[in-house]
């Protein structure tokens, strides 16, 4: 009708004149629809289903988490010579003090390779806004030395030349080092591929070399080998992935060798990093992994709890339905 | 007051304001008066008239530059668009809020987000609005241009030349030809009709399709005319001076006088043609422009009706205040925490690796502070920056979302085929986009009667002539009756009306007798009055319509009566049926054909109907030179001015009165007809008064009324008429359904008590077993006693609140406006089941007079008590202002929502006063529609509008608001918990873009679609069980209680959102962006599943919107993670590889929604709501029928 030619224009005009809304299931709000209601049956089914899914998942997670062997050793206080117990900051800032410290750890259970080495800091606000923002991704990627506008307060060195990599984050790079040996035989620590491949390959420039780094009045942490491009400075890349919380771990390296139960691992720690200034702690963590990541009972417990609650609720509703049907 | 309807009553409405305002002003609360004032403001500008020199535009525009005829409805030009549009946009508080936040973010110490990111929301909204405004304005430009470039004939020298509309100036003389549109307001000088008559159609102005007559003054007609041969016009003949009032928007009044050729005479509304009208049935007219361009009445009237705000939005604003309090508290916590943290670490601030007070370099920057301004300032800045981070706690986007949702809802209301009126071809109209959800909470419906409940198609039913009753037995088939007088009459008739009129044989026989005897003469004069005393225009149509009488039909010429009042049309048609056919009307005389004899009567004067006199009269000189005044009017106004001398008169009078009672008890509209002869002396005196009155500029209406009062006295009663006003389709059913839905229907009508009651009965508003409280006192005392008697008799309780109000009335007697504040009470708790208070069998009938006394004397509370305890209230004989007053009575004393529905100009004040105004696109013009928020074709659609669309819209918007509060708050709270773990430094783990996209892209679309499309119940169920509407009365979809439950739920969900990932990734290597990514996706999935849980009806669009949003969010995150320059580069890929990520999300969703699900389940198990029950019944029934039909298919019986 609408495409009517001029011959039946009268009828087409009469069609146009009628303002009656054209019928469509959409405009009349009659589109096919699914409507759900919470019948007792559907409620009970839902609870049972959640319970039945969650409890096995929880058990599996708990099992996985249980298989992870983890050694945590806090060393910031232990590695302090007794004479510096009350002068911690002085100790760490002095260049003359001996910072090396040797500790031995017992392996509780067999740790299968790879054994991951982490350092764990506490009370270090890597997520502080003033810290998080103090970096220049442009500089890291392109090597544009002057892209330092976002890097204050560590943008320029003492002689006013731009720092690469600039910013508080890079400046505060962690600089403790660990050496491991078992039964007098030193363990190889693999520090390759501890950072994300994407960061290494794309985000951090292959042609960007450190410049003027740590050449400020205050030295924040580790120095970088200025002959290596940023993309190969994996410790820096790991550090620059700032942590979510004030307590965090960062990957230090891997021991690609199984550790047997009751082995004594001797760790030689270069205790350089100043956490004493802000009452932070430092720990060394050795851990294996499973599919769930590190040791983490929370997921498993949470899943089991929620599953159990849901099953209880299902029982509650079944009883309700039996006792007082609607 | 409604006896003569439509335009007259609308014009009388204008008049009535002047007179009744004084009496009513005191009784009426100030705001009505204020509202009315805007109509009022233009009435008297007599002191400063506008001078128009005819055909001398230069002199006219010399002293004061009058506006040209160019109209600009567009707001912008290309140059002014940007600044002006921005200026207008920033008038909205929401945008200012955006702007303030964005500006704060630009300050260096506060830069929480990147510069561009922070501007994004503002720019987005600005751009969208600007594009919309720009498009609309472009369309306006085009239509303006089209309008301005139309051409009209304007007098130049001695001939007419085409000139563009926009060039026309006041004072110019313009010629309009038939079917052309009139370019500006003009005073008629002459027309192609020798008597100076012109017909115009005012469709564009007031929507009335009938023709109206306009006259050129006889004084000018002869002078201003084109030479028929040369088409020239004598220039010197066209000169004169018009003194008229300043431009105003009253289209029913025009006061001016004209000096022409040394004569001075008055001009009135009937001498002016207005812009936008069309010339019909007239070859051409010549007129002088008095108002042009935006000063024309049409343009002055195009202002939009005042915007209303929905009740839900008012509540929403209250809750928004609460949200602001939350926001403030959160910001205070953050800033105090910041202050304390800084205080505790004062010593270390220079050495912390993650916090710097000073620059590390030598030189001039040495020891220079790095963005550090001392602890108090830092605390303050942290307060400001937390406002920036938490900005979406105040759901500004909700206002924009709601606009979109309402737009969508109104689309569905407009498109609803069940609300299309095929008889008038009118769709439902949404004229206001702000109050859709109010339709779901209406408690009082105030309805006009005529044209709203009834069709306003009048049919002449009964006549009482000289004390004798006719038409009691309807002889509709009399035409076929052989040998009857009626048959003869048909044969005699040459004029044919389109509609058949059932007439009475007896009366017809009486008319066939010779003209002798009192009764016969009375009958003659009776029909003469019906034919003459009106403003109907007969339009003979040449087309020969074939009529039912077959062969004779060839000679039958049809005549079409165009009138402003349907009553008059009915009367004239009736007169024609009885052989008194009005066939011609000019300004000076009328032609009536009586029994084949064509007679011409000179009309000496005409007093139009007005609401004070409630009658109209014509003074006619008969061909035999005798002069008579013929009057018709409402019975109350007529009986007082009848001659009281003779006995026979008294007899007739009593008989007629009893007939009138009978008629009105049948629901007929009655009119009384009377006449008398005028003596020469009377005539002369009257003529003197009449001329004086019509020539005066000020107080003309007043003076004319006095003149009319003088002439309309001592009349001889001729008879009375009864006209049936048919009920519209489905009115009783609609009213019944509305009452079942707990809505109180009040009828406010101008009709008299008996008529009102009878209509009330016929539309099932009243039932026979109802006890009627009738208050129709003629004095204050009477009213008061009736009121108190009613109160005592029916035991209307004055509850505590009412007592309190009455005491406070005593205290603050002169300032009763304060009372509503503390007596405001909602009937909500009573609910629909609170019928125990509302006595089912009480009906209040009150008339306008009593209302005046009651409203004057501050007995409003008493009236209110009684009225609210009655099930039905009928107000009869009420003036337009009183209608508004009654609406205000309810509105100011309760929190209940009111809806006014009407079709005429007399309902405008009521429609504007009520919370929701509904206009009926009826016969009474478009005034009501223009003032309304919604307009529709039939009263019965109200049922569907309220019960179905109102219910849906209310449920939708109520949920939408709660959900939006939740959606934003859960996000903000999640950010808040995190900030507590970042040394109060307002770090956001989420990327800047994600924070901005969250409310704009990630979660906005599903809410909009759900707000538009979700339906809890089908329209069938809703119409079947009107009680479901009570959910709106109980504010089930949105109330404080729900708000707080939602907020508790929000708190729980935000804690789950924050702490589950925190514990899962405790002491792990996770970085801030991975965590942010997890939080982003978790919150988006959570709020979408939360929404999904509450969606009642899944259609593919909802599926697409909900699941699509999650997909879009993932897509956005992938895109955002693909820029190596952003610190969050490639995060999502690393994260999603690990099963922990997915397990965490699953855990979050289940744990977060568990309490809500449980609450819902328990609530539905133990305390199912009506809606819930109806819904289950509906779905189960459907499944059942589905199953059974399946079974039938499987096992064919």
């Amino acid at each position: 009708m609408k495409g009517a030619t001029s011959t039946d224009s009268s009828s087409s005009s009469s069609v146009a004149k009628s303002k009656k809304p054209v019928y469509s299931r959409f405009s009349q709000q009659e589109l096919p629809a699914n409507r759900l209601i919470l019948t007792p049956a559907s409620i009970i089914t839902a609870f049972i289903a959640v319970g039945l899914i969650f409890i096995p998942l929880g058990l599996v997670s708990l099992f996985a988490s249980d298989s992870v062997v983890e050694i945590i050793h806090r060393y910031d206080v232990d590695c302090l010579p007794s004479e510096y117990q009350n002068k911690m900051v002085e100790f760490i800032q002095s260049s003359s003090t001996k910072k090396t410290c040797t500790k031995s750890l017992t392996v509780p259970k067999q740790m299968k390779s790879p054994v991951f080495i982490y350092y764990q800091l506490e009370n270090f606000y890597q997520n502080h806004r003033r810290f998080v923002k103090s970096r220049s991704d442009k500089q890291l990627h392109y090597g544009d030395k002057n892209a330092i506008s976002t890097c204050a307060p560590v943008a320029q060195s003492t002689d006013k030349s731009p720092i690469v990599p600039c910013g508080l984050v890079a400046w505060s790079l962690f600089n403790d080092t660990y050496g491991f040996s078992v039964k007098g035989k030193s363990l190889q620590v693999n520090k390759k591929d501890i950072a994300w491949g994407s960061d290494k390959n794309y985000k951090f420039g292959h042609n960007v070399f450190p410049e003027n780094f740590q050449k400020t009045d205050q030295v924040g942490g580790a120095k970088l080998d200025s002959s290596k491009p940023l993309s190969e400075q994996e410790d820096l890349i790991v550090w620059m992935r700032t942590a979510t919380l004030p307590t965090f771990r960062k990957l230090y390296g891997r021991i690609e060798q199984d550790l047997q139960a009751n082995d004594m691992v001797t760790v030689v720690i270069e205790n350089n990093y100043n956490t004493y200034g802000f009452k932070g702690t430092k720990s060394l963590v050795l851990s294996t992994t499973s599919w769930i990541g590190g040791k983490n009972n929370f997921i498993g417990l949470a899943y089991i709890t929620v599953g159990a609650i849901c099953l209880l609720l299902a029982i509650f509703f079944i009883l309700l339905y039996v006792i007082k049907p609607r | 007051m409604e006896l003569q309807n439509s335009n007259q009553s609308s014009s009388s409405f204008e008049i009535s304001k002047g007179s009744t305002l004084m009496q009513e002003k005191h009784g009426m609360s100030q705001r009505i008066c204020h509202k009315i004032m805007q109509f009022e403001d233009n009435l008297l500008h007599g002191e400063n008239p506008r001078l128009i020199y005819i055909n001398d535009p230069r002199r006219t525009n010399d002293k004061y530059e009058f506006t040209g005829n160019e109209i600009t409805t567009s707001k912008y030009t290309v140059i002014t668009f940007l600044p002006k549009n921005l200026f207008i946009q920033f008038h909205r508080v929401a945008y200012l809020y955006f702007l303030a936040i964005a500006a704060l973010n630009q300050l260096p110490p506060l830069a929480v987000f990147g510069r561009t990111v922070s501007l994004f929301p503002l720019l987005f909204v600005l751009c969208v609005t600007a594009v919309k405004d720009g498009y609309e304005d472009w369309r306006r430009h085009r239509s303006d241009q089209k309008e301005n470039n139309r051409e009209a004939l304007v007098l130049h020298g001695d001939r007419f030349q085409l000139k563009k509309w926009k060039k026309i100036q006041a004072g110019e003389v313009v010629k309009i030809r038939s079917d052309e549109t009139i370019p500006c307001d003009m005073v008629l000088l002459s027309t192609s009709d020798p008597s100076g008559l012109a017909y115009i159609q005012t469709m564009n102005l007031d929507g009335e399709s009938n023709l109206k007559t306009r006259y050129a003054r006889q004084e000018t007609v002869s002078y201003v005319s084109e030479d028929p041969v040369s088409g020239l016009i004598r220039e010197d003949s066209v000169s004169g001076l018009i003194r008229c009032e300043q431009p105003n928007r009253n289209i029913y009044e025009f006061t001016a006088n004209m000096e022409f050729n040394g004569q001075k005479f008055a001009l009135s509304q009937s001498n002016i043609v207005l812009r936008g009208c069309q010339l019909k049935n007239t070859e051409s007219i010549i007129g002088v422009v008095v108002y042009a361009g935006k000063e024309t009445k049409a343009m002055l009237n195009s202002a939009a009706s005042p915007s209303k705000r929905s009740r839900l939005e008012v509540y929403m604003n209250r809750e928004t205040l609460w949200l602001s309090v939350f926001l403030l508290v959160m910001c205070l916590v953050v800033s105090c925490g910041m202050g304390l943290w800084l205080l505790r670490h004062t010593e270390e601030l220079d050495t912390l690796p993650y916090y710097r007070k000073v620059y590390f370099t030598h030189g001039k920057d040495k020891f220079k502070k790095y963005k550090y301004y001392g602890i108090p300032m830092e605390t303050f800045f942290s307060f400001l920056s937390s406002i920036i981070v938490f900005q979406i706690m105040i759901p500004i986007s909700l206002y924009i979302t709601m606009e979109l949702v309402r737009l969508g809802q109104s689309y569905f209301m407009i498109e609803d085929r069940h609300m299309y009126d095929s008889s008038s071809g009118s769709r439902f109209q949404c004229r206001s986009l702000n109050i859709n959800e109010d339709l779901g909470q209406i408690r009082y419906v105030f309805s006009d009667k005529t044209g709203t409940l009834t069709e306003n198609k009048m049919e002449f039913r009964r006549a009482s002539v000289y004390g004798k009753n006719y038409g009691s037995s309807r002889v509709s088939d009399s035409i076929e009756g052989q040998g009857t007088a009626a048959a003869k009459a048909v044969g005699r008739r040459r004029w044919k009306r389109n509609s058949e009129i059932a007439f009475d044989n007896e009366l017809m026989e009486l008319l066939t007798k010779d003209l002798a005897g009192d009764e016969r003469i009375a009958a003659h004069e009776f029909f003469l009055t019906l034919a003459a005393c009106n403003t109907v225009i007969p339009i003979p149509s040449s087309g020969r319509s074939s009529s039912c009488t077959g062969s004779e039909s060839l000679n039958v010429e049809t005549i079409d009566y165009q009138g402003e009042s349907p009553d008059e049309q009915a009367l004239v048609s009736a007169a024609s049926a009885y052989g008194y056919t009005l066939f011609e009307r000019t300004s000076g005389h009328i032609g009536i054909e009586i029994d084949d004899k064509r007679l011409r009567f000179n009309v000496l004067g005409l007093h139009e109907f007005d609401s004070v006199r409630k009658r109209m009269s014509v003074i006619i000189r008969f061909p035999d030179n005798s002069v008579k005044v013929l009057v018709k009017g409402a019975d109350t106004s007529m009986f007082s001015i009848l001659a009281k001398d003779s006995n026979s008169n008294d007899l007739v009078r009593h008989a007629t009165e009893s007939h009138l009672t009978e008629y009105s008890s049948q629901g007929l509209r009655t009119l009384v007809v009377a006449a008398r002869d005028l003596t020469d002396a009377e005539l002369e005196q009257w003529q003197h008064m009449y001329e004086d009155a019509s020539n005066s500029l000020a107080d003309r209406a007043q003076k004319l009324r006095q003149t009319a009062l003088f002439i309309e006295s001592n009349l001889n009663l001729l008879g009375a008429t009864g006209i049936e006003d048919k009920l519209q389709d489905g009115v009783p059913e609609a009213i019944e359904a509305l009452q079942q839905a707990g809505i109180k229907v009040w009828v406010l009508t101008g009709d008299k008590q008996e008529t009102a009651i009878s209509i009330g009965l016929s539309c099932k508003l009243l039932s026979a077993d109802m006890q009627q409280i009738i208050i129709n006192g003629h004095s204050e005392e009477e009213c008061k006693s009736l009121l108190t008697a009613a109160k005592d008799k029916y035991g209307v309780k004055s509850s505590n609140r009412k007592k309190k109000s009455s005491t406070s009335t005593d205290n603050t007697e002169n300032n009763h406006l304060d009372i509503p504040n503390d007596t405001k009470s909602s009937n909500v708790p009573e609910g629909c089941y609170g019928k125990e208070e509302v006595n089912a069998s009480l009906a209040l009938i009150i008339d306008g007079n009593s209302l005046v006394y009651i409203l004057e004397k501050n007995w409003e509370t008493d009236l209110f008590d009684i009225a609210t305890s009655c099930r039905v209230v009928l107000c009869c004989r009420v003036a337009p202002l009183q209608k508004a007053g009654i609406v205000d009575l309810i509105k100011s004393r309760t929190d209940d929502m009111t809806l006014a529905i009407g079709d005429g100009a007399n309902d405008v004040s009521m429609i504007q006063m009520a919370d929701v105004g509904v206009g009926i696109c009826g016969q009474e013009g478009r005034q009501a529609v223009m003032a309304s928020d919604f307009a529709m074709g039939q009263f019965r659609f109200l049922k569907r509008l309220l019960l179905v669309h109102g219910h849906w819209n209310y449920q939708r918007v109520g949920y939408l608001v709660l959900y939006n509060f939740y959606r934003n708050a859960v996000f903000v709270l999640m950010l808040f918990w995190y900030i507590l773990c970042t040394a109060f430094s307002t770090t956001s783990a989420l990327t800047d873009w994600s924070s901005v996209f969250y409310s704009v892209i990630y979660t906005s679309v599903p809410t909009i679609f759900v707000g538009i499309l979700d339906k809890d119940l089908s329209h069938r169920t809703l119409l079947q069980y009107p009680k479901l509407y009570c959910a709106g009365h109980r504010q089930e979809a949105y109330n404080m209680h729900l708000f707080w439950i939602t907020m508790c739920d929000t708190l729980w969900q935000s804690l789950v959102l924050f702490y589950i990932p925190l514990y899962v990734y405790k002491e792990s290597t996770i970085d801030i962006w991975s965590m942010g990514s997890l939080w982003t996706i978790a919150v988006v999935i959570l709020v979408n599943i939360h929404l999904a849980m509450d969606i009642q009806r899944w259609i593919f669009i909802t599926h697409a919107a909900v699941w699509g949003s999650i997909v879009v969010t993932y897509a956005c995150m992938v895109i955002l993670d693909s820029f190596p320059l952003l610190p969050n580069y490639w995060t999502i890929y690393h994260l999603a590889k690990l099963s922990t990520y997915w397990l965490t999300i699953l855990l979050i969703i289940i744990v977060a929604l568990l309490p809500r699900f449980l609450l819902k389940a328990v609530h539905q198990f133990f305390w199912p709501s009506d809606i819930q029950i109806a819904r289950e019944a509906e779905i189960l029934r459907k499944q059942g029928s589905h199953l059974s039909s399946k079974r039938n298919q499987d096992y064919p019986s």
Side-chain angles (χ1 to χ4, degrees), chain B residues 765-796:
Chain B
L765 199 59
L766 297 170
S767 55
D769 58 340
M770 272 188 169
Q771 288 186 312
Q772 299 177 352
I773 305 174
I774 297 178
I775 297 178
N776 52 357
H778 293 289
S779 64
E780 290 171 18
E781 294 74 37
E782 212 178 324
C783 281
K784 180 74 184 167
S785 62
L786 279 169
L787 263 179
T788 41
K791 262 181 106 165
D792 296 342
K793 188 173 172 192
Y794 299 105
V796 173

Side-chain angles (χ1 to χ4, degrees), chain A residues 95 139 194 247:
Chain A
S95 53
Q139 193 192 49
I194 55 172
T247 303

Side-chain angles (χ1 to χ4, degrees), chain B residues 392 966-975 990 994-995 998 1083:
Chain B
I392 63 164
Y966 148 80
R967 185 189 68 159
N968 288 356
V970 79
F971 182 76
V972 167
L973 278 170
M974 187 185 78
L975 299 179
L990 279 61
S994 281
S995 322
Y998 174 73
V1083 73

Side-chain angles (χ1 to χ4, degrees), chain B residues 18 29 290 403 423 691 984 1177:
Chain B
S29 77
V290 284
E403 269 179 36
S423 63
E691 265 161 41
F984 310 98

Side-chain angles (χ1 to χ4, degrees), chain B residues 1034-1081:
Chain B
R1034 290 190 297 265
Q1035 307 191 334
E1036 264 179 25
Y1038 184 86
N1039 52 46
M1040 266 303 221
H1041 193 60
L1042 276 177
F1043 172 76
W1044 286 108
I1045 289 180
T1046 310
M1047 281 300 124
C1048 292
D1049 190 29
T1050 308
L1051 189 68
W1052 164 256
Q1053 296 195 15
S1054 72
L1055 286 170
V1056 168
L1057 259 178
F1058 175 72
Y1059 278 104
I1060 285 186
L1062 197 72
Y1063 281 112
V1064 168
Y1065 289 100
K1066 202 179 175 191
E1067 299 181 341
S1068 75
T1069 57
I1070 194 158
D1071 62 281
I1072 191 166
W1073 300 288
S1074 302
M1075 196 62 135
S1077 173
L1078 174 62
W1079 272 325
T1080 311
I1081 204 71

